[in-house]
Amino acid sequence: MPAQSKLLGAPGGAGAVAAVIAGLAASLVALSKEKARRRQKCNQNLHGVDGPPQKRSGAANQHRRPRYPNKHGSSARRRHPEKTQWFYDFVSQENKASMLDPAGSVLQDEFYHKFRVPYDMFLELVAETRRDPRFAYADESTPGRGPQPHPLELKVMAALRRVALGVSLDGLVDMAGLSKATLHRFISDWEQWFVERYYDKWVKLPEGSELHEAVELFRRDGLPGCVSSMDVVHVRYDRCPAQQRSLHAGKEGYPTLGFHFHCGHNRYVYYVSEAFPGARNDKAIVRFDTFLDDRVEKPELASYNYTLRTRSGGNDIWRGLWALCDGGYHKWAHTICGMKHADELEWKAWSGLCESTRKDVECVFGILKKRFQVLKNATLVADAASCLLYTSDAADDSLRV
């Protein structure tokens, strides 16, 4: 019989087993103490008698440990964004006249290059942000107890810089002079607010004279009745959950998110869908396209008349607008593409016209990805924000890439 069985079967065997376990536990405790003693001795040799400074955990480490030990009070932990180059160039009163000069200035050009929006639009965004009560915690003009918040202009610039170049929070800390916690909270709230506030204003269906102008641009190129070009753009999905990789990894070979786009011949963005898994094809995504639903349900779009020329030289009146697409979509009456295998010369010419005109949406994809580097790694709200910023100034040819 094994020794353990003999021990358990003997009188008082349970007590003996407990004694053995207690002895083993005591040995482990003694071993851990010896390791701690050796570690402390090593730290003393490296850092001196007291060893390395002990770090506090959690919020106490952030709010109690001073960033500048030679200062006292809140100034020992508070940053000074007023000393950054951003504040001096774009916020300070010293350069205010140059930033507001109607004739333009070097600082205005630098501002647009850094943040991808004109300075007057930036001032409008700051004013709208200041009026929203959800950002009272970030507004330096809001009275309250405690240290005064840092300038709101710097926080909005940090949010715009992130959308423009995809800068990480650590990089924005150095640029704006604000803490990482402050930037994380503000940028998350501000991007969501920006999309809710401006999406319906800037990304929308054309109406009235704008609709007639959009249709007329396609008619001049030989496509009467066309109102938009559409396609799906794929953006890399960073940190995709492993269990969802098969849903998002498509032809690109890495996880992506798909967004369905409609744009006009003037490169105005009319519609951006919600994000879809990248492995879905265009036929599955287009079934959720509300732009095409509006084309049928809205009277102004459904009853729009246009003229087509017949083979005999006459004219036919057709009703209802349609969208230009590629061959990967359904063969619906309101989604028209060129013919892949055309026998007659006329059909070949018409298919080539469709293919070349449909490049509008591809150009918009390229402009967006080049202007807003955040699209290299998908963030749902930031993707929508970049489309809004592009559409807001697309009317000015001087601002196009």
Side-chain angles (χ1 to χ4, degrees):
M1 182 180 291
Q4 184 179 6
S5 300
K6 292 182 179 179
L7 185 61
L8 290 174
V17 172
V20 173
I21 295 176
L24 292 175
S27 300
L28 292 176
V29 170
L31 181 61
S32 63
K33 289 183 177 180
E34 178 64 20
K35 289 183 178 179
R37 187 186 65 80
R38 293 179 180 177
R39 188 181 302 111
Q40 182 179 6
K41 184 176 180 180
C42 180
N43 289 334
Q44 289 177 357
N45 294 334
L46 291 175
H47 303 284
V49 178
D50 297 332
Q54 299 296 323
K55 293 185 177 180
R56 298 183 181 182
S57 60
N61 184 36
Q62 298 179 4
H63 297 291
R64 295 177 180 270
R65 292 183 63 201
R67 177 179 289 106
Y68 309 108
N70 58 335
K71 297 183 179 180
H72 303 282
S74 61
S75 61
R77 299 182 298 272
R78 187 173 175 84
R79 296 179 180 271
H80 300 279
E82 296 83 1
K83 298 180 180 180
T84 60
Q85 195 67 32
W86 280 9
F87 184 88
Y88 177 75
D89 288 344
F90 310 124
V91 182
S92 66
Q93 295 296 327
E94 184 175 351
N95 294 321
K96 205 71 171 181
S98 178
M99 294 301 299
L100 297 176
D101 188 1
S105 63
V106 175
L107 286 179
Q108 291 182 17
D109 296 339
E110 290 183 0
F111 185 90
Y112 181 80
H113 180 74
K114 290 179 181 293
F115 306 105
R116 303 297 196 265
V117 295
Y119 189 71
D120 54 351
M121 179 183 172
F122 164 74
L123 295 179
E124 177 188 347
L125 291 175
V126 172
E128 291 292 334
T129 305
R130 184 168 280 125
R131 282 193 288 267
D132 197 298
R134 78 180 78 178
F135 296 109
Y137 70 89
D139 187 4
E140 74 279 5
S141 62
T142 302
R145 300 179 60 184
Q148 186 181 21
H150 294 305
L152 183 62
E153 290 85 351
L154 289 175
K155 298 172 185 177
V156 176
M157 282 192 287
L160 294 174
R161 183 70 168 177
R162 178 180 177 275
V163 176
L165 294 180
V167 181
S168 64
L169 289 179
D170 290 329
L172 293 175
V173 168
D174 299 333
M175 297 177 185
L178 303 172
S179 67
K180 190 174 182 179
T182 299
L183 290 173
H184 183 271
R185 180 184 179 186
F186 178 81
I187 292 177
S188 299
D189 294 343
W190 191 84
E191 286 182 349
Q192 187 67 44
W193 166 84
F194 180 70
V195 174
E196 295 174 358
R197 175 70 175 79
Y198 288 100
Y199 183 85
D200 293 334
K201 178 181 178 181
W202 290 335
V203 181
K204 60 182 180 180
L205 295 168
E207 298 177 353
S209 59
E210 295 181 359
L211 176 62
H212 179 73
E213 180 183 354
V215 177
E216 182 65 17
L217 290 175
F218 282 105
R219 189 198 65 80
R220 293 174 184 173
D221 283 352
L223 298 174
C226 182
V227 67
S228 67
S229 301
M230 69 178 191
D231 202 358
V232 176
V233 59
H234 289 267
V235 180
R236 180 185 291 272
Y237 185 12
D238 191 22
R239 298 179 181 178
C240 176
Q243 62 271 23
Q244 298 182 11
R245 183 178 178 86
S246 59
L247 298 175
H248 293 84
K251 59 182 180 180
E252 288 79 10
Y254 52 83
T256 62
L257 293 172
F259 297 87
H260 202 239
F261 262 63
H262 282 267
C263 74
H265 203 27
N266 51 9
R267 298 180 183 176
Y268 283 24
V269 178
Y270 295 152
Y271 172 80
V272 183
S273 73
E274 61 182 6
F276 292 93
R280 289 190 181 181
N281 57 25
D282 296 351
K283 290 184 177 180
I285 294 177
V286 75
R287 292 184 178 274
F288 301 92
D289 191 330
T290 59
F291 184 92
L292 296 178
D293 295 338
D294 292 337
R295 190 206 66 83
V296 178
E297 296 174 359
K298 284 193 172 184
E300 186 178 7
L301 300 178
S303 61
Y304 194 96
N305 296 328
Y306 58 94
T307 304
L308 292 181
R309 185 171 299 177
T310 63
R311 285 181 176 270
S312 60
N315 293 325
D316 284 344
I317 304 300
W318 288 72
R319 177 176 297 177
L321 300 175
W322 51 276
L324 185 62
C325 62
D326 57 23
Y329 286 87
H330 298 283
K331 306 303 180 183
W332 293 339
H334 50 278
T335 56
I336 298 179
C337 64
M339 300 179 65
K340 186 175 182 180
H341 303 288
D343 297 331
E344 299 183 12
L345 183 61
E346 295 177 352
W347 285 113
K348 288 183 178 180
W350 184 82
S351 299
L353 176 63
C354 292
E355 293 174 1
S356 61
T357 306
R358 200 192 63 82
K359 299 303 179 184
D360 294 333
V361 69
E362 303 291 348
C363 291
V364 172
F365 294 164
I367 293 172
L368 282 172
K369 290 185 176 182
K370 191 67 176 178
R371 179 178 292 185
F372 304 105
Q373 299 295 317
V374 72
L375 294 178
K376 290 185 176 180
N377 290 303
T379 304
L380 301 186
V381 177
D383 292 342
S386 62
C387 295
L388 296 182
L389 293 174
Y390 164 77
T391 307
S392 65
D393 62 7
D396 190 346
D397 294 335
S398 64
L399 300 181
R400 291 184 183 173
V401 175

